[in-house]
Amino acid sequence: MSTAQPVLKLGEFKLHKKSGKARRATFMTAHGSFETPTFMAVGTKATVKAMTPEELKDCGTQVVLGNTYHLHLRPGEKLIKKMGGLHKFMNWNGPILTDSGGFQVFSLSGLRKMSEEGVEFSSHLDGAKYFISPEKSMEIQMDLGSDIIMAFDECLQYPATNDEIKRSMDLTHRWLLRSHKAMTRDQSLLFGIVQGGLSLEHRKYSLQQVTSVDLPGYALGGFSVGEPIHLMHELLPDIAPLMPENKPRYLMGVGTPLDLIISIDAGVDMFDCVLPTRVARNGTLYTWQGRMSIKRQEYKEDAGPLDPECDCYTCKNYSRAYLRHLFLSGEILGSRLNTIHNLHFYMTVMAKARKALEEDRWESFRDDCLTRFVRSDK
Ligand code: PRF
Ligand code: ZN
């Protein structure tokens, strides 16, 4: 907001505006506040790939996400703690949210053995055996010095049976109670994770369980795990508004620019996704004219900018022809310039969404984005 804001208390979520289900707010962490709706840059291994913290700030990044699973395997949270914590280690002094490892254990590791106690798995790096429990996940995230710590959950694959979903939600709930008990660091904020697959009844059941613990924020997990995405789009407007009004709502691992607009409209405040950074390195760029692939022949002699409507460093200084050349040559600068553009684009979508909400023109902004993004979205 342009006007001066009163200083918020740690964990405070101040709602400024609503338009239908969409919200504009500020959330306070131990490393300062951030404005919502927000998109968090994914910095899995204590780096947002190809980007310095100064470049992240220039792109409009407010929050960086780190991963318990990866940092535990390498370099280890004890080393990071010795080096002064994750903020100092990676030279990012803004808010950091860490994911709990539950989801990554299921999607990345080798052999897994689930039990009530936790998950035994073998590292995707060297096959070595590890064990993560709710208590262990909290210990790791506290050692990292994370501002927002995610509860340890189970993220089911799609599709799953009713019995599997029920068993999994109950386990995730017991793990939440243990996460809550084990998270003892004053400066960190614990978020609970709602699971429950793709049925509203299951989601309501999980939401009831998760919100029975009073926490500074709540997340929706278990979406974007291979289901047809329209199922998520249809379910979100029914479930997000049932989450506590005065707490941030975080949709984990989502999504495309289209997903973001649809989810903000459903009442979601926070997002993260590897998509903008990952596809940038493969030469896929998100623009106000839709998604494009820089390797295409049609850009060979194109002297224009990537996106004429973008004012990022890449678009202000380089041509499509040059970016295509860098990509085809496998040059590292190509990855860097593409990542700068994609992150700047995502952050600009969010900044424009916040401004539209402030200025009571969310619906027209939303509809403009929907027509622009729908053409090229998956
Ligand atoms: N749980 C956790 N992290 C996640 C997810 C989840 O369900 C997802 C699902 N899209 C992404 N990241 N802990
Ligand atoms: Zn740009």
Side-chain angles (χ1 to χ4, degrees):
M1 301 271 278
S2 46
T3 49
Q5 293 295 303
V7 175
L8 304 182
K9 292 197 292 276
L10 182 67
E12 195 177 340
F13 183 70
K14 181 155 179 44
L15 265 178
H16 304 300
K17 279 270 186 182
K18 282 198 71 178
S19 173
K21 301 182 178 91
R23 300 124 62 84
R24 166 76 184 89
T26 307
F27 188 64
M28 181 59 94
T29 77
H31 283 82
S33 61
F34 59 85
E35 307 302 319
T36 70
T38 198
F39 182 83
M40 303 181 282
V42 176
T44 291
K45 302 179 189 171
T47 168
V48 176
K49 289 187 200 302
M51 301 280 279
T52 67
E54 287 72 22
E55 288 165 340
L56 289 176
K57 289 238 164 75
D58 287 346
C59 286
T61 305
Q62 307 183 88
V63 189
V64 167
L65 180 143
N67 275 113
T68 295
Y69 172 85
H70 297 81
L71 295 174
H72 178 55
L73 298 188
R74 188 170 61 193
E77 67 280 4
K78 297 300 177 200
L79 177 92
I80 293 177
K81 188 178 185 181
K82 215 185 236 174
M83 295 290 122
L86 184 55
H87 294 81
K88 180 143 187 278
F89 190 55
M90 67 183 289
N91 188 33
W92 172 260
N93 61 12
I96 292 180
L97 178 149
T98 47
D99 199 356
S100 54
F103 178 70
Q104 286 73 28
V105 163
F106 292 102
S107 57
L108 294 175
S109 73
L111 286 174
R112 284 174 296 273
K113 218 163 74 200
M114 283 270 308
S115 67
E116 182 68 30
E117 190 49 30
V119 191
E120 189 188 287
F121 62 94
S122 55
S123 159
H124 71 287
L125 297 174
D126 61 2
K129 280 226 159 61
Y130 290 87
F131 183 78
I132 296 189
S133 61
E135 290 78 14
K136 186 75 196 173
S137 172
M138 296 304 112
E139 184 190 326
I140 297 167
Q141 295 182 76
M142 290 190 286
D143 280 344
L144 295 172
S146 175
D147 298 303
I148 301 177
I149 287 180
M150 299 308 297
F152 192 65
D153 62 327
E154 183 189 20
C155 177
L156 272 187
Q157 302 199 334
Y158 174 85
T161 66
N162 283 338
D163 285 353
E164 280 170 344
I165 294 171
K166 180 77 171 38
R167 178 207 51 79
S168 177
M169 291 190 296
D170 289 342
L171 179 68
T172 286
H173 185 54
R174 292 191 296 275
W175 283 0
L176 171 65
L177 299 177
R178 285 167 57 190
S179 296
H180 184 50
K181 187 150 177 245
M183 210 301 276
T184 52
R185 188 175 181 269
D186 288 341
Q187 295 298 90
S188 299
L189 303 162
L190 178 65
F191 279 24
I193 304 175
V194 176
Q195 291 286 345
L198 290 156
S199 94
L200 183 58
E201 286 319 300
H202 286 139
R203 285 279 165 181
K204 282 183 178 168
Y205 177 87
S206 177
L207 180 59
Q208 201 86 53
Q209 290 180 314
V210 175
T211 53
S212 73
V213 185
D214 186 34
L215 297 169
Y218 298 94
L220 294 168
F223 284 112
S224 200
V225 290
E227 77 278 14
I229 204 64
H230 71 92
L231 295 178
M232 178 183 88
H233 293 170
E234 286 156 20
L235 192 52
L236 281 177
D238 290 331
I239 190 67
L242 301 181
M243 299 170 78
E245 163 99 357
N246 58 343
K247 308 279 178 76
R249 304 163 176 166
Y250 164 29
L251 179 56
M252 307 188 79
V254 173
T256 65
L258 183 69
D259 294 334
L260 301 187
I261 297 297
I262 288 173
S263 306
I264 293 170
D265 197 52
V268 176
D269 309 300
M270 298 167 62
F271 304 88
D272 81 276
C273 192
V274 294
L275 194 63
T277 41
R278 178 176 291 165
V279 302
R281 301 192 300 277
N282 294 321
T284 298
L285 288 318
Y286 286 99
T287 77
W288 289 103
Q289 297 78 49
R291 201 178 53 189
M292 66 185 271
S293 178
I294 196 62
K295 60 173 164 270
R296 290 171 63 108
Q297 177 77 16
E298 63 186 287
Y299 305 127
K300 186 176 180 187
E301 300 182 3
D302 191 334
L306 210 48
D307 182 351
E309 292 181 66
C310 178
D311 62 357
C312 82
Y313 171 76
T314 303
C315 291
K316 277 191 306 204
N317 293 290
Y318 302 94
S319 66
R320 288 173 171 175
Y322 182 63
L323 293 169
R324 177 174 183 271
H325 158 71
L326 290 180
F327 179 77
L328 294 179
S329 310
E331 285 292 337
I332 198 164
L333 183 61
S335 287
R336 288 186 23 72
L337 295 177
N338 290 349
T339 303
I340 286 172
H341 168 79
N342 267 1
L343 265 190
H344 187 280
F345 177 77
Y346 264 62
M347 299 310 171
T348 302
V349 170
M350 302 312 268
K352 283 180 185 283
R354 292 193 295 267
K355 193 143 189 294
L357 283 162
E358 285 162 20
E359 296 173 356
D360 296 310
R361 45 181 185 76
W362 165 250
E363 289 188 4
S364 64
F365 174 75
R366 174 198 65 197
D367 292 345
D368 181 39
C369 285
L370 293 180
T371 44
R372 284 168 180 267
F373 300 159
V374 81
R375 288 181 302 221
S376 59
D377 217 85
K378 271 193 288 171

